[in-house]
Amino acid sequence: MEKPIGTAINADASPIEYGKYTDDKLGQLEKEMEAREWGSEDTAWERARKADTKDAYQRYVAMYPNGAHRPQASQRLVDLSVDDIFNNDHGSLPKMNHVEKDDDSPTSTITIENATRYPLTVMYSGAESKSIVIPPGAKSTVTLPNGRYRIAASVPDAFVRPFAGSETFSGGRYETGYVIVRTSWY
């Protein structure tokens, strides 16, 4: 009868070697393999792309902040973050005010006023995905190519749920503002 390859634990909990690797050696080999897979920018990008998770893209960006694929990683992080908000409990964003139409313009400019006491993160997922953080009481402007976008907004407070909605930009200027209204106090 052949012995299985791997490790068994005897009564005193010390590893017994079967074949040529112990649990400790297998763990070390796994760490070395992961280091090789993330050790160059190209292999790290391929690994992040194949995993297609926020953690993988965040790791790529942290390891290669000026990497060739930073724009794609950042765009994918926004898309996945917007997906998370849409797939969980969220409120509905109101439609934006289209204050100045320009049917000939390939872009739309959106002005956002943050009338909350929190930093406000607004993410646009569409033809060009962007995330902006607006300080409390401030206004910010973003210009995007025309098209349909999924939009999510959130603040760093566990008691304030994020909001999400869709908008089709068709050229010109849009405006919106965000406030937080408490319906109950804790």
Side-chain angles (χ1 to χ4, degrees):
M1 180 170 178
E2 244 179 78
K3 286 186 183 179
I5 295 177
T7 302
I9 304 294
N10 67 12
D12 65 3
S14 57
I16 300 172
E17 189 173 319
Y18 292 121
K20 62 187 209 180
Y21 299 111
T22 64
D23 283 341
D24 292 339
K25 182 66 175 172
L26 285 173
Q28 179 185 351
L29 289 171
E30 286 173 359
K31 286 179 185 176
E32 289 172 7
M33 189 166 78
E34 184 175 354
R36 277 194 303 274
E37 290 174 350
W38 288 92
S40 78
E41 184 183 347
D42 289 338
T43 57
W45 173 244
E46 281 306 310
R47 182 154 175 132
R49 212 173 50 73
K50 284 179 184 173
D52 197 35
T53 64
K54 287 195 303 185
D55 286 342
Y57 289 115
Q58 287 168 340
R59 184 171 181 183
Y60 170 83
V61 168
M63 292 177 75
Y64 302 99
N66 299 315
H69 303 286
R70 169 74 189 249
Q72 296 101 311
S74 296
Q75 180 163 335
R76 195 65 188 125
L77 277 167
V78 169
D79 294 340
L80 291 170
S81 295
V82 170
D83 287 348
D84 283 351
I85 290 173
F86 267 84
N87 292 331
N88 290 294
D89 181 37
H90 66 276
S92 295
L93 284 178
K95 290 290 181 190
M96 294 182 184
N97 298 321
H98 197 175
V99 295
E100 184 181 308
K101 294 183 180 194
D102 184 353
D103 295 333
D104 295 327
S105 176
T107 61
S108 294
T109 301
I110 302 101
T111 301
I112 305 156
E113 180 178 4
N114 178 5
T116 76
R117 62 182 179 148
Y118 304 98
L120 174 69
T121 300
V122 182
M123 296 174 284
Y124 297 88
S125 177
E128 184 178 304
S129 298
K130 286 188 178 181
S131 176
I132 59 172
V133 178
I134 307 163
K139 285 186 179 182
S140 188
T141 301
V142 62
T143 300
L144 296 167
N146 292 338
R148 185 152 181 81
Y149 287 82
R150 293 181 327 131
I151 305 163
S154 63
V155 298
D157 182 327
F159 294 107
V160 179
R161 70 182 173 163
F163 283 74
S166 296
E167 192 84 43
T168 299
F169 299 120
S170 58
R173 285 188 324 106
Y174 292 78
E175 291 182 351
T176 191
Y178 294 92
V179 297
I180 295 174
V181 177
R182 292 257 186 190
T183 56
S184 62
W185 296 94
Y186 300 98

